């Protein structure tokens, strides 16, 4: 516990106060600092570090990114791409956008409950195939999994399709690579056409509200556009392939 008895008139938070406000431990704050995810505090009298609103907002963003399943390495890359002079409000906007575009959270489920929801018994090979296409993730317990419920129905249907396990893995790799590329281009477009005008507007509250609304409405539109474009492109490619000698 750091002594801040004579620091009450200084702005900001001690490490204990920052951790309490962010809902994390002091150890977590210091760990993020050693990884470069969190800027060092300002050192005041008696060598007590003081953290500001930007530290608190950055902590909230880091925790949100972790909740969405990002690794620390991925979070580091994400934060490195952000402008270094972002205000606490800027960081709060990033967090809001990350949360609004995130898929439904995965749930923990037992194998028995998984089979009940799948409507069939699942062999070990079935479980491997479901994991290969991202429906399941293993945990430390062989009878407990992390499930993406939005993909379960499709995954169960694919179990009866005569496709080799390696082919499924290769297909998933291709899809993820192209999905990531499309996401990067969309993020660039969003930054140039929405984010930059927001910053240039002097952080107008009305513009912030409009941007959040736009983000929420863009999500289903972008997802539907990607699905439709993929369906049409795949149909065209298959027709072309099977017309060839």
């Amino acid at each position: 516990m750091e002594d801040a008895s004579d620091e009450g008139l200084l702005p900001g938070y001690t490490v204990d106060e920052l951790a309490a406000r962010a809902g994390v431990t002091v150890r977590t704050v210091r760990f993020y600092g050693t990884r470069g995810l969190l800027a060092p505090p300002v050192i005041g009298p008696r060598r007590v570090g003081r953290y500001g609103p930007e530290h608190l907002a950055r902590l909230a963003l880091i925790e949100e990114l972790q909740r969405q399943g990002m690794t620390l390495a991925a979070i580091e890359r994400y934060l490195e791409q952000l402008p270094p002079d972002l205000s606490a409000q800027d960081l709060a906007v990033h967090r809001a956008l990350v949360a609004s575009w995130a898929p439904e959270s995965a749930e923990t489920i037992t194998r028995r409950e998984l089979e009940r929801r799948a409507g069939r018994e699942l062999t070990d090979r079935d479980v491997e195939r479901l994991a290969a296409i991202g429906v399941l993730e293993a945990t430390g317990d062989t009878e407990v999994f992390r499930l993406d419920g939005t993909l379960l129905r499709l995954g169960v249907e694919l179990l009866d399709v005569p496709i080799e396990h390696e082919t499924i893995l290769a297909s998933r790799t291709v899809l993820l690579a192209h999905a990531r590329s499309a996401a990067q281009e969309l993020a660039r477009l969003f930054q140039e056409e929405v984010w930059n005008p927001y910053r240039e507007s002097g952080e107008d509250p009305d513009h912030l509200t409009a941007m959040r609304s736009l983000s929420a409405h863009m999500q289903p539109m972008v997802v539907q556009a990607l699905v439709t474009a993929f369906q049409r492109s795949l149909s065209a490619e298959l027709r072309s392939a099977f017309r060839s000698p």
Side-chain angles (χ1 to χ4, degrees):
M1 185 81 170
E2 292 186 358
D3 180 12
S5 59
D6 58 351
E7 300 281 321
L9 298 179
L10 293 179
Y13 320 104
T14 65
V15 66
D16 299 276
E17 293 168 341
L18 177 70
R21 286 176 176 267
V24 300
T25 65
V26 170
R27 183 179 180 181
T28 297
V29 173
R30 289 181 171 143
F31 173 71
Y32 289 157
T34 60
R35 291 292 296 257
L37 300 176
L38 204 62
V42 175
I43 305 300
R46 300 188 62 178
R47 305 297 297 169
V48 176
R50 306 295 295 188
Y51 296 84
E54 290 78 13
H55 291 95
L56 183 60
R58 196 173 179 92
L59 264 178
L61 176 58
I62 293 170
E63 291 295 301
E64 184 65 48
L65 293 172
Q66 282 198 317
R67 277 193 291 272
Q68 307 311 329
M70 290 183 67
T71 64
L72 279 176
I75 293 174
E76 286 176 357
R77 292 193 296 271
Y78 180 93
L79 295 178
E80 285 172 358
Q81 296 174 6
L82 298 181
D85 59 341
L86 290 183
S87 66
Q89 187 177 20
D90 291 333
L91 291 166
V93 171
H94 271 274
R95 182 191 175 200
L97 295 179
V98 168
S100 68
W101 281 74
E104 295 183 9
S105 299
E107 57 182 299
T108 302
I109 190 171
T110 64
R111 183 161 183 158
R112 182 176 180 180
E113 175 63 14
L114 175 64
E115 291 181 337
R116 187 191 70 79
R117 290 175 57 175
R120 59 188 285 178
E121 291 186 6
L122 299 172
T123 65
D124 291 342
R125 181 67 169 174
D126 292 336
V127 171
E128 289 178 3
R129 288 168 68 91
L130 290 175
I133 57 179
V135 178
L136 299 176
E137 288 184 10
T139 65
D141 188 335
T142 57
E143 294 297 312
V144 178
F145 306 93
R146 295 285 291 168
L147 169 70
D148 185 342
T150 61
L151 295 177
L152 180 58
R153 182 176 178 182
L154 173 62
V156 171
E157 292 176 356
L158 287 176
L159 292 178
D160 298 323
V161 177
I163 300 178
E164 292 296 326
H165 184 73
E166 292 73 17
T167 304
I168 293 177
L169 288 175
S171 300
R172 184 168 185 262
T173 299
V174 171
L175 289 173
L176 287 177
H178 287 281
R180 189 174 294 111
S181 177
Q184 290 171 346
E185 287 299 312
L186 287 171
R188 180 189 59 78
L189 180 64
F190 190 87
Q191 180 176 14
E192 293 177 355
E193 301 298 330
V194 180
W195 173 252
N196 288 342
Y198 156 70
R199 296 199 73 199
E200 293 168 0
S201 70
E203 302 179 2
D204 177 22
D206 291 337
H207 192 99
L208 174 60
T209 301
M211 186 171 68
R212 285 176 172 167
S213 176
L214 175 61
S215 175
H217 286 84
M218 278 180 64
Q219 181 181 13
M221 177 184 70
V222 169
V223 171
Q224 185 58 53
L226 287 172
V227 171
T228 301
F230 177 76
Q231 289 174 329
R232 291 175 178 174
S233 298
L234 183 59
S235 296
E237 290 297 323
L238 290 175
R239 284 197 300 269
S240 175
F242 285 102
R243 278 202 302 265
S244 301

